[in-house]
C-alpha cells in the first residue's frame, strides 16, 4: 500500500459496507429533518417553531449523551448500532403515518404538531447512542495507520448523505408530497439495517467491563478536558455551529425572503453540503494534516464571513454561492476535527469521548437552530443570521489570540507514530 494512497481505507471490504450504512443513515436523517422542517413551518408560519424542532431533539440527546458513551464503551458496537437503526426506523414510520393526508385533514392542527414534536423528541434518544456507536465501530474496522484517510472518506460519505438528503427532500416534497417522502426515508433506514448485518460482531476493547457508571463518566470527561487539543477543536466548532446556524432558517428565506418555493429550498439546503463534499474528496489527495490548527481557525473564520453574506443577500444565486463556500470551509473544519479525535482518543474511551463531542458539537446544531429561531423572532430573520456570523468571527479571533498552542497544531507527528505502531 503506497504511503500516500488516497484510496487506502477503501481497500478494506468492511469499511466499504460501513460507508454504505453511514450514507443511508445520514441521508435518511437529514432528509427527514428537512421534510419535517418544511411541514412544521407550513403549519405554523412561525420561525420559532423551527427552533423548537431542534430543541425537542437536543434535550434528550444532551441529557443522555454521557450515559450513552458509557454504554457504548461497555457493549458490542455492531449490535448496538443495529438497535439504533431499528429505533430510527420506528420513528420514521411513525412520521410517515402522522403525515398521512387523512390524518392531516381530520386531526386538529395542534395535535399533529405536538405529535411531530414528540417523535422528534424520541429521535433525540436514538441520536444520543448513534453518534458514539458509529465513531467507535469505525476504529474497529480499519487499522490505525489509515485512520486519517478513513476519516476523510467517512466524512465525505457523511457529506454526500447531507447533500442528497436535503436536496431530494426539497424536490420530493414538490413531486410526491411530505407523506410519501417520509416513506422513502423509512426505506433508506431499512437499507442501512440490512447492510450492517454483513459486518460481523466486533470485540469489546474496554478492559473495565462492569465499571461503575459514574466513575466511567468522570474518566471520560476528565480525559476530554485534560486533552487541550481535543477540547479546543470541539469548543471552537461548537461555538461556530451554535451561532452560525443559518441553515435552520432556510424555510423562512425560501418562502418569505427569496420566494423560491420548495425546489429552491432544496437547492439552498444542499448547497453547503455540496461545497463540503468537494472539499473532502479533494482532501483525500491533498491531506490537511500540516498546520492543522491554523487551517481550522481559517476555515471557521471563512465560514462566518459566508454566513454574513448569506444573511444580507436578497438574490437567490448569491445566497446559494455563499452557502456553497460556507460548506467548503465547513468541510475543512470537519476533516481536521475528526482526524484529531481519531488520532488522540484511546480505543477503550471512544464511546465516552464521542458522547462528549456530541454534547458540544452534534447538539449545537439543534441548539443553534433554537438560537436562530429565537433571535429571528426577537431581531428579525436577516439580523439574526448576521448576528450569528459576527459572533463566529469574534470566537475565531479570540481563540487564535488566547491559544498560541492551538495555532501551532500539526498532526503529521501523530500520524507517523500510528504508522510505527502498525
Amino acid at each position: 500500500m503506497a504511503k500516500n494512497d488516497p484510496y487506502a481505507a477503501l481497500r478494506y471490504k468492511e469499511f466499504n459496507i460501513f460507508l454504505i450504512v453511514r450514507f443511508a443513515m445520514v441521508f435518511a436523517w437529514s432528509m427527514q429533518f428537512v421534510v419535517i422542517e418544511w411541514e412544521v413551518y407550513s403549519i405554523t408560519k412561525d420561525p420559532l417553531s423551527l427552533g423548537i424542532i431542534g430543541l425537542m431533539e437536543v434535550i434528550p440527546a444532551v441529557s443522555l449523551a454521557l450515559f450513552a458513551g458509557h454504554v457504548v464503551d461497555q457493549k458490542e458496537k455492531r449490535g448496538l448500532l443495529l438497535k439504533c437503526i431499528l429505533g430510527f426506523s420506528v420513528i420514521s414510520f411513525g412520521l410517515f403515518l402522522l403525515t398521512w393526508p387523512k390524518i392531516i385533514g381530520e386531526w386538529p392542527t395542534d395535535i399533529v404538531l405536538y405529535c411531530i414534536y414528540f417523535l422528534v423528541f424520541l429521535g433525540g434518544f436514538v441520536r444520543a447512542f448513534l453518534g458514539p456507536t458509529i465513531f467507535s465501530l469505525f476504529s474497529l474496522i480499519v487499522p490505525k495507520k489509515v485512520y486519517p484517510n478513513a476519516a476523510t472518506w467517512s466524512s465525505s460519505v457523511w457529506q454526500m448523505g447531507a447533500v442528497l438528503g436535503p436536496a431530494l427532500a426539497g424536490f420530493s416534497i414538490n413531486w410526491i408530497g411530505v407523506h410519501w417522502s417520509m416513506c422513502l426515508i423509512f426505506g433508506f433506514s431499512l437499507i442501512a439495517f440490512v447492510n450492517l448485518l454483513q459486518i460481523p460482531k466486533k470485540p469489546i476493547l474496554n478492559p473495565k467491563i462492569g465499571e461503575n457508571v459514574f466513575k466511567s463518566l468522570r474518566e471520560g470527561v476528565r480525559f476530554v478536558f485534560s486533552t487541550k487539543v481535543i477540547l479546543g477543536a470541539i469548543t471552537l466548532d461548537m461555538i461556530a455551529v451554535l451561532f452560525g446556524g443559518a441553515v435552520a432558517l432556510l424555510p423562512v428565506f425560501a418562502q418569505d425572503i427569496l420566494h423560491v418555493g420548495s425546489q429552491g429550498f432544496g437547492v439552498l439546503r444542499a448547497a453547503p453540503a455540496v461545497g463540503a463534499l468537494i472539499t473532502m474528496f479533494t482532501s483525500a489527495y491533498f491531506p490537511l494534516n500540516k498546520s492543522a490548527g491554523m487551517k481550522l481557525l481559517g476555515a471557521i473564520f471563512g465560514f462566518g464571513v459566508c454566513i454574513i453574506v448569506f444573511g444580507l443577500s436578497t438574490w437567490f444565486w448569491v445566497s446559494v454561492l455563499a452557502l456553497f463556500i460556507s460548506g467548503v470551509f465547513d468541510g475543512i473544519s470537519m476533516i481536521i476535527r475528526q482526524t484529531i479525535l481519531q488520532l488522540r482518543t484511546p480505543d477503550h474511551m471512544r464511546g465516552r469521548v464521542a458522547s462528549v463531542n456530541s454534547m458540544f458539537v452534534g447538539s449545537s446544531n439543534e441548539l443553534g437552530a433554537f438560537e436562530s429561531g429565537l433571535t429571528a423572532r426577537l431581531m428579525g430573520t436577516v439580523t439574526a443570521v448576521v448576528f450569528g456570523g459576527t459572533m463566529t468571527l469574534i470566537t475565531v479571533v479570540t481563540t487564535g489570540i488566547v491559544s498560541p498552542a492551538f495555532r501551532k497544531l500539526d498532526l503529521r507527528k501523530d500520524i507517523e507514530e500510528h504508522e510505527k505502531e502498525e
Side-chain angles (χ1 to χ4, degrees):
M1 183 175 61
K3 185 175 181 180
N4 295 319
D5 182 4
Y7 307 104
L10 300 182
R11 304 188 190 282
Y12 296 87
K13 180 181 178 181
E14 287 187 1
F15 183 68
N16 290 310
I17 298 173
F18 171 83
L19 292 182
I20 294 173
V21 173
R22 188 165 199 203
F23 169 80
M25 285 305 298
V26 173
F27 179 94
W29 203 298
S30 60
M31 182 178 178
Q32 177 172 287
F33 195 81
V34 171
V35 171
I36 293 306
E37 276 187 325
W38 183 267
E39 180 72 1
V40 168
Y41 187 69
S42 297
I43 291 173
T44 66
K45 292 298 180 180
D46 183 355
L48 184 60
S49 65
L50 300 176
I52 293 175
I53 294 174
L55 190 63
M56 287 297 99
E57 185 170 304
V58 79
I59 289 174
V62 170
S63 301
L64 276 180
L66 288 178
F67 176 73
H70 166 76
V71 172
V72 171
D73 282 337
Q74 297 278 320
K75 301 294 183 180
E76 193 276 317
K77 310 302 182 286
R78 192 267 260 175
L80 193 56
L81 184 54
L82 284 171
K83 294 176 182 176
C84 290
I85 295 174
L86 183 61
F88 174 83
S89 299
V90 171
I91 291 168
S92 63
F93 187 73
L95 288 169
F96 167 68
L97 296 178
L98 190 61
T99 54
W100 192 6
K102 186 175 181 180
I103 289 180
I104 294 293
E106 295 181 359
W107 287 20
T109 300
D110 287 346
I111 298 298
V112 173
L113 187 63
Y114 294 149
C115 287
I116 290 175
Y117 287 152
F118 176 70
L119 288 175
V120 172
F121 183 80
L122 294 181
F125 287 96
V126 175
R127 178 175 170 174
F129 290 88
L130 184 65
T133 305
I134 290 178
F135 182 80
S136 300
L137 182 61
F138 170 100
S139 65
L140 299 174
I141 290 176
V142 293
K144 291 182 178 180
K145 62 185 178 183
V146 298
Y147 275 3
N149 182 257
T152 297
W153 284 109
S154 181
S155 297
S156 297
V157 166
W158 188 95
Q159 283 294 347
M160 189 180 298
V163 168
L164 298 179
L168 184 60
F171 289 111
S172 67
I173 290 170
N174 184 61
W175 293 337
I176 60 177
V178 169
H179 179 56
W180 291 108
S181 296
M182 287 305 311
C183 182
L184 184 61
I185 292 165
F186 175 70
F188 268 86
S189 69
L190 295 182
I191 290 174
F193 187 87
V194 171
N195 276 276
L196 186 57
L197 292 173
Q198 299 179 54
I199 297 178
K201 292 182 178 181
K202 298 298 179 182
I204 303 173
L205 300 180
N206 188 356
K208 300 179 180 179
I209 299 299
E211 180 182 21
N212 178 272
V213 60
F214 295 106
K215 182 179 179 181
S216 171
L217 298 183
R218 283 197 303 270
E219 183 183 3
V221 173
R222 189 182 302 117
F223 173 80
V224 171
F225 279 84
S226 63
T227 309
K228 301 302 181 183
V229 171
I230 290 179
L231 181 62
I234 290 175
T235 304
L236 186 63
D237 199 62
M238 177 196 72
I239 298 298
V241 174
L242 178 64
F243 287 108
V247 171
L249 297 175
L250 287 185
V252 183
F253 278 88
Q255 295 187 37
D256 301 335
I257 296 177
L258 300 174
H259 306 290
V260 290
S262 61
Q263 293 191 37
F265 171 60
V267 173
L268 290 169
R269 193 63 174 79
V274 172
L277 183 61
I278 291 174
T279 296
M280 290 176 177
F281 278 126
T282 303
S283 69
Y285 295 89
F286 304 99
L288 299 170
N289 305 313
K290 181 181 179 181
S291 303
M294 285 300 297
K295 288 176 181 175
L296 182 58
L297 289 169
I300 298 179
F301 186 90
F303 174 83
V305 172
C306 291
I307 293 302
I308 293 174
V309 172
F310 168 76
L312 295 174
S313 171
T314 56
W315 295 343
F316 175 65
W317 289 111
V318 172
S319 300
V320 171
L321 181 61
L323 290 174
F324 170 80
I325 298 175
S326 78
V328 172
F329 288 124
D330 190 42
I332 295 172
S333 170
M334 180 179 295
I335 290 171
I336 295 175
R337 190 180 72 252
Q338 288 299 314
T339 303
I340 291 172
L341 290 175
Q342 289 291 350
L343 291 175
R344 297 288 179 96
T345 304
D347 289 332
H348 68 282
M349 296 185 66
R350 290 186 179 276
R352 283 163 287 178
V353 171
S355 69
V356 175
N357 179 59
S358 70
M359 288 181 65
F360 276 72
V361 179
S363 299
S364 62
N365 287 285
E366 283 68 41
L367 285 176
F370 180 71
E371 180 270 339
S372 296
L374 182 60
T375 53
R377 167 73 78 83
L378 298 175
M379 304 177 180
T381 302
V382 172
T383 304
V385 172
V386 173
F387 169 76
T390 303
M391 291 301 296
T392 300
L393 299 185
I394 293 173
T395 300
V396 173
V397 172
T398 303
T399 302
I401 293 174
V402 303
S403 181
F406 194 84
R407 296 199 307 267
K408 298 176 182 178
L409 174 64
D410 195 305
L411 296 175
R412 289 175 296 178
K413 184 177 179 181
D414 296 84
I415 295 172
E416 291 173 359
E417 290 178 354
H418 281 300
E419 288 176 345
K420 290 178 182 179
E421 290 178 10
E422 294 293 333

